């Protein structure tokens, strides 16, 4: 194994050196172009026919049989799919956009407006193509994540290394990942150490140090060392595949704003049809108007009243925002949650693993005799190495950081004293480490040590005393370290207008108070059971209407479910977090929270802009009916212009950083 690793390290990464048949690439590109042409052939043919009709008309007039024939053929070819859907909807009394357009084009043909009817067909087809292109572009931005992961990986089977397609790789296979190579499958490192760029999953470009037993994910980049990785998930179950699946599901869900638009369109469209009918009938019957003139105006009203831009205004914005969030390490599981975030007034935080790192670390070490600082620390670590106390790992980790060793220390007569600490003999001397209960008399003899010990406890740290039965040698404090970003995130949230931030934790109130005051939340609640957290969330909803809960997605499940929006930390590789929360912060990064709120509010703003512009533009164009200036082609240009605007406006959400 070692020999193979050395050879591979020497070899380096050559995955970018490929022999590719140029004709294959050319064929693939041509296939893509050909598919685009085939998909839009009715539009292309209709456009050619209309241009031909215009040219023929200029020589032989609008009523020439060939001119009319060219226009009719253009209408039938370009509008076939439109008529098919429109007539089906009319038979079902479903007054859709297609139904409106079908009536308008048939009406234009009846009154001999062949050129106008054909232009309506071509412009509507262009509008539909633009809508499809914009939605595909937004969706493709997230689907393209799947292309980030390599399609093949170097796998060791029966002692032989072979390049295998990811679909054929099985769980427990061992992959070799060379420096500069992307990781093809989710797995656990069994050999090697490296820094891995996880931007594809977490949105963070800063590489993460990875060592043996650490998880790695498909699509991430191994930057430095050679790794051997044991595959833990099939390609279809990888974290990146789950993200793509959940995001695509979220994009298909209807947001509240979209539900409102759909409901509005349900009544709006029949109302437009009724008004158009009255416009056609009333002037000729009661005011001696010309039937052809008012039929034309009524048809124009149908076209301009078509809710194309209104219907597309919300989904293109939601799809763009959700895609952008996913690429930046925030998984939003539906448009409803994206909208809810924009209206949040209060946010509740779990402490451990959310505001703090979730792993205890040594924060303070005070040795009475500074010349024996390292010696005392090694003895503390030796005692703790025999302890089952959860804080022992923090001390052993600090030992490693200090580059000290306890291999030379022999422990005898180790004893655990329940509720107080531990004791053992080292070189014939009995040492103790634990709470002040072990050292009451000695601690009281030194006021300065007592003051330091009590101060550490007031700061919410777990302070332990180390010494013998006759003297105190050192004080060591361990605490769950506050995340570097927690304080600035809370400040940003308050600046963004979040009225209330509260920390909910199962830790004692003393520790909770120390952490909460340092981070800057407006309220602090400690000594809470899961039911207590749930009750607080319900109480907050009564006071602030829209409330978010941020936790680890497991022990905070009841509170996450009860909140208006449940936001989970630890989304990276955690199936529970991906499944239980409404939103997952994929990189354990609280700084994604202000970004999420900005994105949500911008999305709501753009949706309002789109809806307002669609309605106002339609109203202005409808006013052209009064002087008789409204034409069919002008109506469809106005509608298409609104559609293009709302589409491009919605796509702006993909650029928010």
């Amino acid at each position: 194994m070692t020999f193979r690793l050395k050879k591979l390290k020497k070899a380096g990464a050559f995955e970018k050196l490929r022999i590719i048949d140029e004709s294959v690439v050319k064929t693939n590109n041509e296939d893509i172009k050909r598919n685009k042409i085939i998909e839009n052939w009715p539009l292309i043919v209709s456009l050619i026919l209309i241009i031909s009709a215009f040219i023929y008309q200029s020589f032989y007039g609008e009523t020439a049989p060939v001119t009319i024939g060219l226009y009719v053929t253009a209408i039938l070819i370009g509008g076939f799919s439109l008529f098919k859907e429109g007539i089906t909807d009319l038979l079902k009394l479903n007054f859709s956009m297609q139904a409106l357009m079908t009536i308008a084009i048939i009406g234009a043909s009846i009154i001999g407006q062949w050129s106008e009817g054909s232009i309506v067909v071509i412009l509507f087809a262009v509008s539909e193509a633009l809508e499809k292109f914009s939605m595909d572009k937004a969706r493709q931005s997230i689907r393209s994540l799947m292309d980030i992961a390599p399609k093949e990986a170097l796998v060791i089977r029966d002692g032989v290394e072979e390049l295998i397609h990811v679909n054929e790789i099985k769980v427990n296979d061992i992959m070799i990942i060379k420096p500069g190579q992307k990781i093809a499958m989710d797995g656990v490192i069994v050999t090697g150490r490296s820094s891995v760029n996880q931007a594809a999953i977490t949105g963070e470009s800063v590489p993460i140090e990875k060592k043996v037993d650490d998880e790695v994910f498909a699509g991430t980049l191994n930057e430095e060392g050679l790794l051997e990785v044991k595959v833990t998930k099939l390609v279809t179950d990888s974290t990146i595949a789950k993200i793509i699946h959940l995001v695509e599901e979220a994009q298909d869900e209807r947001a509240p704003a979209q539900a409102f638009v759909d409901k509005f369109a349900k009544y709006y469209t029949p109302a437009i049809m009724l008004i158009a009918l009255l416009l056609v009938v009333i002037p000729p019957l009661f005011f001696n108007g010309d039937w052809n003139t008012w039929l034309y105006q009524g048809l124009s009203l149908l076209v301009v009243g078509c809710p194309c831009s209104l219907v597309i205004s919300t989904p293109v914005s939601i799809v763009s925002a959700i895609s952008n969030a996913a690429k930046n390490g925030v998984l939003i599981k539906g448009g409803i949650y994206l909208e809810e975030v924009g209206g949040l007034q209060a946010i509740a935080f779990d402490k451990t693993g959310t505001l703090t790192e979730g792993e205890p670390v040594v924060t303070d070490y005070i040795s009475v005799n500074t010349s024996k600082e390292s010696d005392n620390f090694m003895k503390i670590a030796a005692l703790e190495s025999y302890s089952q106390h959860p804080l022992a790992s923090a001390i052993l980790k600090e030992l490693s950081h200090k580059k000290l060793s306890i291999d030379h220390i022999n422990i005898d007569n180790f004893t655990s004293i329940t509720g107080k600490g531990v004791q053992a003999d080292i070189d014939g001397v009995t040492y103790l480490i634990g709470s002040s209960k072990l050292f009451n008399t000695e601690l009281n003899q030194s006021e300065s040590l007592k003051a330091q010990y009590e101060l550490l406890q007031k700061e919410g740290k777990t302070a332990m005393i180390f010494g013998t039965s006759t003297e105190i040698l050192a004080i060591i404090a361990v605490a769950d370290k506050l995340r570097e970003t927690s304080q600035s995130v809370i400040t940003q949230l308050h600046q963004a207008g979040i009225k209330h931030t509260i920390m909910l934790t199962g830790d004692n109130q003393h520790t909770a108070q120390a952490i909460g005051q340092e981070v800057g939340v407006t309220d602090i609640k400690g000594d809470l059971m899961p039911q207590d957290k749930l009750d607080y969330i319900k109480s907050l909803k009564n006071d602030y209407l829209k409330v978010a809960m941020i936790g680890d997605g497991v022990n905070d499940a009841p509170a996450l479910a009860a909140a208006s929006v449940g936001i989970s930390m630890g989304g990276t590789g955690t199936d529970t977090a991906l499944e239980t929360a409404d939103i997952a912060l994929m990189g354990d990064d609280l700084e994604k929270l202000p970004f999420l709120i900005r994105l949500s509010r911008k999305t709501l703003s753009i949706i309002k802009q789109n809806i307002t512009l669609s309605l106002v533009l339609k109203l202005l164009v409808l006013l052209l009916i009064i002087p008789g200036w409204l034409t069919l082609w002008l109506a469809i240009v106005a509608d298409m212009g609104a559609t293009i605007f709302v589409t491009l406006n919605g796509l702006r959400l993909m650029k928010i950083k």
Side-chain angles (χ1 to χ4, degrees):
M1 179 74 74
T2 307
F3 178 68
R4 182 176 67 250
L5 283 175
K6 283 180 179 177
K7 284 201 299 181
L8 283 168
K9 282 178 181 176
K10 192 174 180 180
F14 300 103
E15 76 282 357
K16 291 181 182 177
L17 297 179
R18 301 274 172 85
I19 298 172
I20 299 172
D21 188 342
E22 285 184 281
S23 62
V24 173
V25 177
K26 187 177 179 183
T27 304
N28 289 339
N29 289 335
E30 286 176 352
D31 285 344
I32 292 167
K33 289 177 183 176
R34 194 179 297 118
N35 288 337
K36 294 272 186 191
I37 293 169
I38 291 170
E39 189 179 327
N40 293 301
W41 77 263
L43 175 61
I44 296 166
V45 171
S46 294
L47 188 58
I48 293 169
L49 288 170
I50 289 170
I51 292 169
S52 302
F54 270 119
I55 294 170
Y56 197 88
Q57 180 182 324
S58 64
F59 290 104
Y60 300 102
E62 191 176 350
T63 56
V66 175
T67 304
I68 294 172
L70 288 169
Y71 281 132
V72 170
T73 308
I75 289 170
L76 291 174
I77 292 174
F80 180 76
S81 60
L82 166 66
F83 299 146
K84 187 178 176 182
E85 195 171 339
I87 291 168
T88 303
D89 287 345
L90 281 171
L91 293 173
K92 295 177 182 177
L93 297 179
N94 175 22
F95 302 116
S96 63
M97 291 183 290
Q98 288 76 10
L100 285 181
M101 289 294 105
T102 300
I103 293 170
I105 293 162
I106 291 172
S109 302
I110 290 170
I111 62 174
Q113 295 290 338
W114 303 107
S115 60
E116 300 252 359
S118 64
I119 290 172
V120 168
V121 165
I122 205 80
L123 289 177
F124 186 76
V126 170
S127 177
E128 290 275 274
L130 284 171
E131 284 179 28
K132 186 176 183 299
F133 170 77
S134 64
M135 294 295 282
D136 284 348
K137 184 178 179 183
R139 286 198 166 97
Q140 187 59 38
S141 69
I142 192 64
R143 288 192 194 120
S144 63
L145 285 177
M146 188 59 84
D147 297 330
I148 290 172
K151 302 303 177 190
E152 295 178 321
L154 191 63
V155 174
I156 306 168
R157 284 185 179 170
D158 301 322
V160 178
E161 299 159 9
E162 51 184 318
L163 200 62
I164 298 176
H165 194 277
V166 288
N167 292 334
E168 297 173 14
I169 297 176
K170 301 173 185 176
V171 173
N172 294 327
D173 274 343
I174 303 295
M175 298 186 300
I176 298 172
I177 317 295
K178 291 178 270 184
Q181 211 171 31
K182 284 185 177 178
I183 298 167
M185 308 278 282
D186 284 13
V188 175
I189 296 173
V190 291
T191 305
R193 188 185 188 99
S194 183
S195 60
V196 176
N197 188 324
Q198 299 189 145
I201 302 290
T202 66
E204 291 297 328
S205 58
V206 178
I208 306 296
E209 288 297 319
K210 296 282 184 177
K211 57 186 184 304
V212 173
D213 293 334
D214 283 348
E215 278 188 294
V216 291
F217 308 101
T220 58
L221 177 67
N222 176 28
E223 294 201 336
E224 294 174 0
L226 185 88
L227 298 175
E228 290 197 359
V229 175
K230 183 169 75 173
V231 175
T232 55
K233 293 178 184 176
L234 297 174
V235 66
T236 51
D237 298 325
S238 69
T239 301
I240 201 162
K242 284 186 177 179
I243 291 170
I244 292 165
H245 176 68
L246 289 170
V247 169
E248 289 191 327
E249 280 188 343
Q251 290 174 340
D252 289 332
E253 285 188 14
R254 293 192 179 276
Q258 191 174 347
F260 162 76
V261 168
D262 291 344
K263 190 174 181 181
F264 178 79
K266 185 180 177 183
Y267 297 102
Y268 165 84
T269 308
I272 286 290
M273 293 186 74
L274 179 61
I275 294 168
L277 179 62
L278 293 174
L279 187 65
V280 171
V281 173
I282 291 175
L285 285 180
F286 298 102
F287 303 101
N288 295 319
D290 179 64
W291 279 100
N292 272 7
T293 300
W294 287 103
L295 178 58
Y296 184 82
Q297 291 296 310
L299 295 174
S300 300
L301 174 63
L302 276 185
V303 173
V304 79
C306 180
C308 303
S309 57
L310 194 62
V311 171
I312 196 70
S313 62
T314 301
V316 73
S317 302
I318 296 294
V319 168
S320 298
I322 289 176
S323 297
N324 183 13
K327 290 175 77 174
N328 282 284
V330 180
L331 179 60
I332 304 171
K333 294 175 69 175
I336 184 171
Y337 309 119
L338 178 66
E339 287 196 30
E340 288 286 317
V341 168
L344 289 176
Q345 296 185 348
I347 301 179
F349 295 85
D350 176 42
K351 180 183 79 70
T352 307
T354 302
L355 292 173
T356 64
E357 297 283 358
E359 290 185 10
V361 294
V362 173
T363 57
D364 300 88
Y365 172 56
I366 304 161
S367 180
V368 175
N369 187 340
T370 54
S371 65
K372 293 187 176 181
E373 189 172 301
S374 296
D375 184 57
N376 286 335
F377 193 89
M378 287 187 287
K379 288 174 180 175
I380 291 170
L383 287 172
E384 289 295 338
S385 68
Y386 279 74
S387 170
Q388 298 299 314
H389 196 281
L391 300 181
S393 61
I395 294 172
L396 293 173
K397 193 182 291 182
E398 183 67 14
L399 180 80
S400 176
H401 287 163
K402 288 179 178 290
K403 296 182 179 178
L404 299 174
S405 173
I406 56 172
D407 294 343
H408 62 286
I409 298 177
N410 295 315
I411 298 288
D412 298 310
N413 304 320
F414 178 86
T415 307
S416 177
I417 306 167
T418 306
K420 293 183 178 180
V422 298
Q423 71 176 43
D425 295 341
I426 300 175
D427 297 332
V429 179
T430 301
Y431 292 94
L432 304 94
I433 182 168
S435 68
S436 59
K437 295 173 186 176
L438 282 173
F439 300 89
N440 254 339
T441 305
E442 289 76 15
L443 186 65
N444 288 331
Q445 288 173 357
S446 173
E447 288 297 325
S448 64
L449 282 177
K450 183 179 179 182
Q452 286 176 310
Y453 179 79
E454 289 176 351
L455 178 62
L456 291 170
Q457 286 190 313
K458 284 179 183 177
E459 290 175 349
K461 300 169 183 176
T462 302
M464 294 172 281
I465 302 165
F466 170 70
T468 66
S469 57
T470 58
E471 64 175 330
I472 292 173
L473 301 174
I475 295 176
I476 189 167
V478 175
D480 189 2
K481 188 181 178 184
L482 194 68
R483 289 185 187 274
E484 290 182 5
T485 57
S486 294
Q487 202 170 30
S488 66
V489 166
I490 298 297
T491 302
Q492 288 178 60
L493 292 176
H494 289 157
Q495 289 172 348
I498 301 297
K499 296 178 181 177
H500 191 78
T501 52
I502 181 172
M503 186 178 78
L504 306 176
T505 178
D507 281 1
N508 66 74
Q509 186 64 29
H510 199 72
T511 301
Q513 204 70 32
I515 295 290
Q517 286 176 353
E518 185 179 354
V519 80
V521 291
T522 53
D523 199 4
I524 303 156
K525 300 292 179 184
D527 296 310
L528 300 180
M529 298 295 286
Q531 180 62 44
D532 299 323
K533 290 185 180 182
L534 177 61
D535 292 339
Y536 269 110
I537 292 295
K538 289 179 178 177
S539 173
L540 283 171
K541 286 179 78 174
N542 289 333
D543 295 335
Y544 295 98
L545 299 179
K546 291 190 178 181
V547 177
M549 172 68 192
I550 305 177
D552 60 13
V554 183
N555 58 2
D556 296 310
L560 287 167
S564 308
V565 183
I567 302 175
S568 175
M569 295 288 288
T572 310
T574 308
D575 291 340
T576 309
L578 291 176
E579 297 300 329
T580 60
D582 304 320
I583 296 173
L585 305 181
M586 300 302 293
D588 280 355
D589 186 1
L590 273 179
E591 286 193 312
K592 305 287 185 191
L593 201 52
F595 158 74
L596 175 61
I597 290 172
R598 284 199 316 275
L599 179 66
S600 174
R601 289 177 178 174
K602 188 67 175 176
T603 303
L604 292 173
S605 173
I606 283 180
I607 288 171
K608 288 174 185 174
Q609 289 171 19
N610 286 349
I611 292 172
T612 302
L613 179 122
S614 297
L615 294 174
V616 168
L617 186 60
K618 288 184 185 301
L619 181 62
L620 291 174
V621 176
L622 286 173
L623 292 175
L624 296 177
I625 291 174
I626 297 170
W629 295 344
L630 184 61
T631 62
L632 277 174
W633 68 267
L634 183 61
I636 194 69
V637 165
D639 187 64
M640 188 173 74
T643 301
I644 293 171
F645 175 85
V646 301
T647 299
L648 295 176
N649 201 29
L651 288 174
R652 284 199 301 136
L653 290 164
M654 296 187 69
K655 303 297 182 185
I656 293 176
K657 301 297 182 184

